Amino acid sequence: MSLKSTGSAGFRDSALTVQGVLQAERLGQHLAALRIRYTHVFASDLQRAVKTAEALLAAQPQGSDSQAVTVQRKPGLREQDFGFYEGKPFYARQYGSKKSGKDNHRSEHREDPDFKDVESKESMAARTTSFIDEYLKPLLIAESAEQQRAVAIVSHGNLLSHLWRSILGMFGTNRTTVALAAGVSIGNGGVTPLEYLGGWSNTGYLELDMTMVSVKEEASPRNKIIIKTVNGKDHLKGLKRARGVGSSQYDEGQKKIESFFKKTKTA
C-alpha cells in the first residue's frame, strides 16, 4: 500500500501547479517502473489529489489490469480544515505575548458569528478511522495469496500523518509486528516513535507491505506491517524547478515545452 502527499493547502480546492503536475507524472512513472500494479486507488476529492491519482494510473502499462482501475474520490481524505485561517496571511506573535499570533487572534475573535476554528486532531483522527473501517479494512481482510491488492491513497500531509497513526491503531500494537525494510530509517537519529515518521514532501510517499490475519485463522493472530519506504522522493531526482511558471496553475490546454522542439513528421 502507498500513501502519497500532494502538499498542504487546506480545504481550498486549489489546482496543481505546473511543477506539481511534473512531480505527479514523475511519481507515476517511477512506481510503474517498480512494477507496482494498482488494484485500488483512493484520493481526496480535492482536484490536486485527484490529478495526482490520475497521473499514477496514466503511467500504468497499457494492457495491464490497472488500466481499468478508476480513482475513488473520498471527501474524508481532504486536508485539515483551517477554518477562518484558510488562505489568510500568517499572524505574527505579539511582542511580549506567550501565545502565538493565531492563538491571540482566536481569543479575540472566537465569538464572532463568522469565525470557524481550525479542525481538531480528534476530528481528523475520526475521519481517517472511518475511511479505514469502510474501505481499507475490508480489502485487507478479503485479501488472499492468490489475489493480493495494491492500494494507493492520495491525500495531504497533515491528514496522512493521522491516517498512518489510525492504521497502527487499527492493527493493534499488542498483536502486530511492525518492521523496517533493509536500508529504511525513520527520524533524525535517536529513538523515534513509530507514530511519527516525519514530514511529507510534495508527492513524497510511504510504502507499506501489510498483512492482516483473521482471528478465525489463528488463536493469537500476529498482523504484520513492513515499512518499505518513508517519504520516498527518488522520482524527483534531477527534476529542475520550472522557473517563472513552476508555481502557476496548470492549464491542461497548454502545450508542454518539449512539444515546441519536436520535429514534425513528414510523409
Side-chain angles (χ1 to χ4, degrees):
M1 184 179 74
S2 304
L3 311 182
K4 301 167 182 66
S5 170
T6 66
S8 177
F11 250 47
R12 289 183 302 159
D13 197 13
S14 57
L16 277 179
T17 62
V18 173
Q19 189 72 13
V21 170
L22 293 174
Q23 292 175 336
E25 290 176 346
R26 280 286 198 94
L27 176 62
Q29 294 163 5
H30 172 74
L31 296 173
L34 295 177
R35 302 186 66 79
I36 297 176
R37 304 294 178 256
Y38 289 109
T39 59
H40 298 78
V41 176
F42 299 95
S44 153
D45 64 342
L46 299 179
Q47 59 178 315
R48 60 188 185 273
V50 173
K51 293 297 183 184
T52 301
E54 289 175 344
L56 298 185
L57 291 176
Q60 294 285 289
Q62 292 293 326
S64 67
D65 292 340
S66 297
Q67 288 288 302
V69 176
T70 57
V71 177
Q72 300 185 52
R73 308 180 186 197
K74 304 300 176 186
L77 291 175
R78 288 184 181 183
E79 179 57 296
Q80 181 179 16
D81 184 356
F82 295 116
F84 172 85
Y85 302 99
E86 286 272 346
K88 297 290 194 305
F90 174 75
Y91 284 85
R93 183 189 299 270
Q94 296 178 6
Y95 180 77
S97 174
K98 294 182 179 180
K99 293 183 178 181
S100 68
K102 187 173 69 175
D103 287 339
N104 276 320
H105 181 275
R106 180 187 290 113
S107 298
E108 295 173 5
H109 296 278
R110 67 186 314 152
E111 301 303 325
D112 293 354
D114 62 341
F115 181 80
K116 181 182 179 183
D117 208 348
V118 178
E119 183 181 10
S120 68
K121 295 179 180 179
E122 291 76 16
S123 173
M124 286 191 288
R127 285 201 279 133
T128 55
T129 299
S130 177
F131 170 80
I132 287 171
D133 288 341
E134 190 170 353
Y135 300 106
L136 184 57
K137 189 181 291 186
L139 291 176
L140 291 171
I141 293 175
E143 182 174 295
S144 65
E146 294 76 24
Q147 188 183 14
Q148 293 186 344
R149 290 167 169 78
V151 180
I153 302 173
V154 183
S155 185
H156 316 271
N158 291 348
L159 195 282
L160 284 173
S161 295
H162 285 274
L163 179 59
W164 163 240
R165 289 193 281 275
S166 293
I167 287 173
L168 286 178
M170 171 192 74
F171 271 67
T173 54
N174 62 334
R175 57 188 182 90
T176 301
T177 300
V178 182
L180 297 174
V184 175
S185 61
I186 61 175
N188 297 314
V191 179
T192 301
L194 279 173
E195 291 87 348
Y196 304 98
L197 295 179
W200 299 78
S201 303
N202 282 350
T203 67
Y205 66 93
L206 172 67
E207 183 182 4
L208 306 172
D209 189 346
M210 302 168 62
T211 304
M212 193 169 188
V213 181
S214 170
V215 176
K216 295 179 181 180
E217 297 177 15
E218 189 177 334
S220 180
R222 295 297 298 177
N223 301 316
K224 295 180 181 178
I225 301 177
I226 299 176
I227 303 173
K228 301 180 70 174
T229 309
V230 176
N231 194 25
K233 297 182 291 184
D234 284 350
H235 60 288
L236 299 179
K237 290 180 179 178
L239 178 62
K240 296 181 179 180
R241 185 163 188 82
R243 292 185 178 180
V245 297
S247 59
S248 301
Q249 181 174 323
Y250 179 70
D251 180 358
E252 293 187 1
Q254 203 170 36
K255 289 185 178 181
K256 291 187 178 181
I257 192 169
E258 292 92 336
S259 66
F260 291 99
F261 299 96
K262 291 181 179 178
K263 292 182 178 180
T264 304
K265 292 183 178 180
T266 56

